[in-house]
Amino acid sequence: MLLNNTQQKAVEAEFGPILVIAGAGTGKTRVLISRIIFLIQNLNINPNEILGLTFTNKAANEMKKRIEIQNQTPPKWMGTYSSICLKILREEIQRFNRSKNFTVIDEEDQSSLVKEICKLYGIDTRKITPSKLLTYIYSFKGDRYEDITDLSIENFKKFNLYSWDEINIVKKVFSIYQKKLIENNFVDFDDLLLLTLKLFDTHSDVAQKWKQKFKYVLVDEFQDTNKIQFEILLHLIDPKQNNIFVVGDPDQTIYTWRGAYSEIFNDFMKRFKDYKLYVLDKNYRSTQNILDASNKLIKNNSNRIDKSLNSDNGNGESVFIYEADSNDEESNFVAKQIIELSSKYKYSDIAILYRNNYLSRNIEAALMSHGINYVIYGGVKFYQRKEIKDLLAYLKIMVNDDEFSYKRIINIPKRNIGIATIDNISVYALNHNIPFVNALYLTNTNEFNLTWSAGKIIPFINELRNLKEKTKGLSVSQTLEKIIETIRYEDYLRTFEDDITQRQENIKELISSIKTFESNNEINSIEDYLDKISLYTSIDEQPNTKDNVSLMTIHAAKGLEFKVVFVIGMSEGILPSNRGDIYEERRLSYVAMTRAKEVLYLTTSHGWNPITQSESSTSRFINESKGKHTAYAKNKSVAISDLKLNWFDSHNPQNISERYNENSADINVGDTIVHVVFGDGLVISKKDDTVEILFKHPHGRKTLNAKHKSIRLKN
C-alpha cells in the first residue's frame, strides 16, 4: 500500500500511545490495515495478540479481507465492542455464578419482555408506555445502574422523571426486568458492556489476565466511543506498555445521542500523556472547492483539534448553493439538476442527504415526476410508512368502501378484533358471493346466521359512520385532522416501541402536503387527492434497478462517498435542528458535505416548515460555508406577465430609480393584481404605499410597495 509521508510516520511509529486524527477521506482504513501489517511483519507481534476494535462488523470484516489480500493472517480478536465483550463473557461469566450458555436478546426481545411484565404485573401502560419504559431501562443501564430501587428523586430528575407514580412504575419494571434476565439466562446488549466492565472492576485476576492477553490494541472510529467503552478499553491495555493506536476525527462526532462524547480525545490525551499525534489532512476523496467549503464551516466550532483538509484533485466545480421559494421548488430544482447531470454521471453516482426521514416526501415526489430511479437507505418510502398508510386508509374509507382499507384499520387503533373474526367475515363474504364490507355491515342485523360476535364489530361500524358524518363538507386536510383527533391516533402510536417524534413529524408533513395540494388545485376533493398520490404509492412506481439515486439521512451516509451529493433542507430549525446541539449539528453538516467527491449542492427553501410551524430561513451553515469556492443562486423565476422588467434578475445590473412609478398605483383592498414574478394576487391590506398581497402557492403572502413597476391591476 502506498502511503503519504504522514501516514507512513503513523504506521511506522514506535510502541506506545498513538493518536491519529484522520479527516474525512484521508485514508484512515489504509493506515489501520498498514499498521496491523507493520506490527506483524516488522515488530513481530503475533496476530492473536492484537486486538482491533471497530464500530461495525462490516468494517471489521472488510479489514480482515484486506489484510488477507496482503498475505497476512488477520487478528482473530477484531470486531465491535459488543462482539469482543461477548467473547470475554463466554469465558468469564461464571464469576457471577451464571451459565456461559446465556442468550443475547435483541431490542425486539427486550420489548416483548417489557410488555409481558406490564401484562403479568398489571402495570398501567396509559401512564407510561412499554416503549418509554424500555427507553428508561436503556438510560439507567447506560449510566451503569444495576438496581434503581434506592435512588433519590434527584437521580430520577436526570432522566426527566418527576412524578412519583411514574418513578414507582419505572422502579418496579426495571427490577422485574433485571430479575427476568437472570431467571431466563438472558443478556441484553447493555449487559455485554456492563458485565464485562463489572468483571474487570471486581475481579483483579481477570482484569490482569486480559491486560496481558493483548500486546497491541487498535481502535477505529474513536470519536464514536462512549464512556463505558473507553473504560473497558483501558482495562484491555497493559499499563506498562500503553500500546494503543486510535484513529478518529473529532469533527465527525455525530452520535452523542448514542453515548459518544466529544471530549473523548481530551480524555485520551490526559490518560496517555506521552502520546504521539499524527494529523492526516491530505484528502483523497474530494475536490479542493468541496474541502474549502467544508473547512470554512467546521472552523466555526470551538475547542477542536485544528486541521484543514487539502487535496491534489484540483479545484473542481464550485460548491453550488441554491435558495428556493418553496419546498416543492427546492425538490424540483434537485430533480432537474439530476437530469442535467445524467449525461455525465450514473444515478448510482448521486446521493441526496437530509437531516430527518420525513424530508424525503417532497424529493421523492419530484424524482418520480421526472422519472428518476431512486432507493431509500435507512428508511421506507414516505407513502409506504405505517402511519401514512394508516391515515390514507381512513381517508379512502371516507369516499369508498375499500376492503383493503377496512382490513387495514379495523384494529387501528386497537379494538381487540382478532384475526379469526376478520377471517370469518372474509369466508362468509366468499361463500355468499358478496363484498367483504357488505358482510361486515351485516353484523348490524339479526337476520343472518353469522359466525362472528357482533360485540366488537358494531362499535367499529358506528364509529366509522359517525366519522363520515362529522367530516361532511370539510376539506381534505380538515378531514384528516378530524380523523386523527376522533380515533386518538397519536395515543395509538404511543403504544409502539420506537420514538413517537419521527412518526408525528411524518404526520405533520402529510397534512402539510395536503394543504399544499389544496392551495394548488381548485378542485381538491378527497378523491382528487387520492388520485394524485396513487402515482406515488403504487407498487410499481419505480423499476428495481441497480442504477438508482441514493436517498438517506446524513447519519446513514457516514462512511460512504458519492461523486455527486445534494444536501437538502438546509434551513434553520431543520439543519441545524432546533432540538440539537449546535456544534454537533455543524459536525453533521460537515459529514454530509465531505461525502461528495466531485460535485456538491447545498439547497434551502423558504417554504412552510410543518415542524417549526413557521416560514423557513436559510441555514447559518450555508452562510458559514460561502466563499470564492461557492456559487450562489436563488429561484430562477421567469416573468409570467407582459411587463418587460428584469428587476428580479440578480445577474443583470439595474437602475434602482427605474423600478418605481412616480405616483402610487391605484390599488385598493380587494383588487386583483398581476405581479411579474408571482402572478395573480389578491390585495388583502394596504397602508400608505405598502400593500399585502396573497398569491397562489408557492408564493403566499407578500408585502410590497404599491409603486413598484412589477405590479399592475389585472384587467
Side-chain angles (χ1 to χ4, degrees), residues 641 665-668 670-676 678-684 691-695 704 706 710-715:
S641 81
D666 186 19
I667 294 176
N668 296 296
D671 287 343
T672 300
I673 61 90
V674 177
H675 188 278
V676 293
F678 307 131
D680 291 353
L682 177 67
V683 180
I684 57 176
V691 289
E692 187 177 14
I693 304 171
L694 182 63
F695 295 100
L704 303 170
S710 63
I711 300 172
R712 65 169 171 80
L713 284 168
K714 187 172 183 179
N715 296 329

Side-chain angles (χ1 to χ4, degrees), residues 518-532:
E518 290 168 342
S519 65
N520 282 348
N521 296 274
E522 292 183 12
I523 302 175
N524 48 39
S525 65
I526 293 176
E527 293 95 327
D528 295 317
Y529 175 71
L530 293 173
D531 284 346
K532 178 179 182 291

Side-chain angles (χ1 to χ4, degrees), residues 3-158:
L3 301 170
N4 65 36
N5 187 49
T6 308
Q7 290 173 331
Q8 192 77 37
K9 287 180 179 179
V11 166
E12 297 181 356
E14 293 297 321
F15 288 126
I18 297 170
L19 173 58
V20 180
I21 303 299
T26 58
K28 71 174 180 63
T29 303
R30 178 189 301 173
V31 168
L32 272 168
I33 293 169
S34 298
R35 179 64 174 175
I36 292 172
I37 293 173
F38 181 79
L39 291 173
I40 297 169
Q41 282 186 340
N42 297 71
L43 301 182
N44 299 316
I45 303 293
N46 187 323
N48 293 331
E49 295 178 324
I50 296 173
L51 171 64
L53 289 164
T54 65
F55 273 81
T56 65
N57 291 312
K58 179 182 177 183
N61 292 332
E62 179 185 344
M63 283 197 279
K64 286 178 182 178
K65 288 178 182 177
R66 289 170 66 171
I67 292 170
E68 287 174 343
I69 292 173
Q70 300 297 315
N71 297 316
Q72 295 296 326
T73 302
K76 71 175 184 179
W77 287 89
M78 182 175 282
T80 63
Y81 277 95
S82 294
S83 65
I84 297 300
C85 288
L86 175 57
K87 286 184 178 182
I88 293 172
L89 289 176
R90 289 292 184 205
E91 291 189 28
E92 308 289 357
I93 201 169
Q94 297 97 319
R95 298 291 186 123
F96 298 132
N97 296 316
R98 297 185 59 172
S99 168
K100 67 178 182 180
N101 297 319
F102 59 83
T103 299
V104 181
I105 60 172
D106 58 20
E107 289 185 9
E108 187 174 344
D109 294 330
Q110 289 176 275
S111 176
S112 298
L113 180 54
V114 171
K115 287 179 180 177
E116 182 183 352
I117 291 169
C118 291
K119 181 179 179 182
L120 291 175
Y121 290 86
I123 304 297
D124 187 353
T125 55
R126 291 173 298 178
K127 290 184 178 179
I128 184 166
T129 64
S131 62
K132 197 67 176 175
L133 285 167
L134 191 55
T135 299
Y136 285 130
I137 289 172
Y138 292 150
S139 298
F140 281 108
K141 296 186 82 166
D143 264 24
R144 300 183 61 180
Y145 287 108
E146 295 181 78
D147 186 356
I148 62 173
T149 306
D150 298 324
L151 292 183
S152 68
I153 184 68
E154 294 303 317
N155 293 112
F156 288 100
K157 285 180 180 178
K158 177 182 176 182

Side-chain angles (χ1 to χ4, degrees), residues 336-347 349-350:
K336 290 174 182 176
Q337 290 303 117
I338 290 173
I339 294 296
E340 290 184 21
L341 289 164
S342 63
S343 62
K344 181 178 179 182
Y345 297 99
K346 297 183 294 185
Y347 285 158
D349 293 329
I350 302 171

Side-chain angles (χ1 to χ4, degrees), residues 354-361 377-379 385 502 506 553:
Y354 35 79
R355 179 64 176 84
N356 297 100
N357 277 314
Y358 76 87
L359 292 166
S360 73
R361 184 196 67 81
Y377 290 90
R385 291 171 181 139
Q502 184 68 62
N506 289 338
T553 64

